[in-house]
Amino acid sequence: MMGTREGEELVKAFCLDVASAAPMERIDRVRRGIAPVWVSRLARAMRIADDHLAVYLGLDRRAMARRMAGGERLAPHDSEAIVATAKLLGDTFLALAAGGQVVQEVHIARQLGMWLRTPTPDLDHRAPIQYLDVTEGRELVARLWVGRYTPHGGGSAG
């Protein structure tokens, strides 16, 4: 089993790799499929229960468990949700680094997890995690979250 610090570094590296990749590279990665273990790793980093993250990402948990047991990769639909979540975290690391801030990956991942579960006026007082099951919702959440860490600041969803 991997140590906490090692796991956090692995998540950070994965998220930065996803965020730094060209769009075509991310598309290829999604089409090839992501290993199901990334759901658990991302959930742990954000302090969200694996099952909760899977549900909110719209993942088929039975298929995920089957693929994990068989050492298989996830289907593109499920992989897309994981890649989008990793990109969200990776974009945050990149925005902070561009602003000259020291990046504390543990704190950022935890902050994202907490923010995702906290209702916000920008989303009609709903929690951002409720929007992660569809592409448009993930894009909306990403704009709100990353906007918090860019020079222009956050903004409303509308």
Side-chain angles (χ1 to χ4, degrees):
M1 185 165 162
M2 187 177 329
T4 302
R5 184 73 183 143
E6 184 182 345
E8 291 163 354
E9 288 297 324
L10 196 59
V11 167
K12 181 180 179 185
F14 175 69
C15 293
L16 284 170
D17 184 52
V18 167
S20 300
M24 294 304 287
E25 292 175 63
R26 279 193 297 275
I27 291 167
D28 288 343
R29 183 176 270 184
V30 165
R31 287 179 175 161
R32 283 192 312 269
I34 298 294
V37 69
W38 284 108
V39 174
S40 296
R41 289 178 180 162
L42 289 167
R44 228 171 304 148
M46 294 186 291
R47 302 300 189 260
I48 298 173
D50 296 10
D51 285 349
H52 291 164
L53 184 60
V55 165
Y56 281 112
L57 290 177
L59 306 179
D60 181 341
R61 291 181 297 168
R62 284 189 298 215
M64 196 169 66
R66 222 177 16 256
R67 288 178 184 264
M68 188 176 282
E72 301 172 40
R73 293 179 174 273
L74 295 174
H77 173 269
D78 293 343
S79 294
E80 183 178 29
I82 296 166
V83 166
T85 304
K87 185 177 182 311
L88 180 59
L89 200 47
D91 284 345
T92 307
F93 294 140
L94 293 173
L96 287 169
Q101 298 181 37
V102 176
V103 179
Q104 295 288 329
E105 62 274 359
V106 179
H107 301 298
I108 294 303
R110 288 179 189 168
Q111 285 176 19
L112 175 58
M114 184 170 289
W115 180 81
L116 285 172
R117 295 183 304 252
T118 304
T120 175
D122 289 326
L123 297 173
D124 293 330
H125 299 284
R126 292 187 184 117
I129 201 167
Q130 295 175 277
Y131 292 86
L132 297 181
D133 61 330
V134 294
T135 302
E136 191 70 29
R138 289 190 291 266
E139 290 171 2
L140 174 63
V141 167
R143 281 193 307 273
L144 290 171
W145 172 254
V146 175
R148 298 165 48 121
Y149 296 97
T150 56
H152 302 337
S156 69

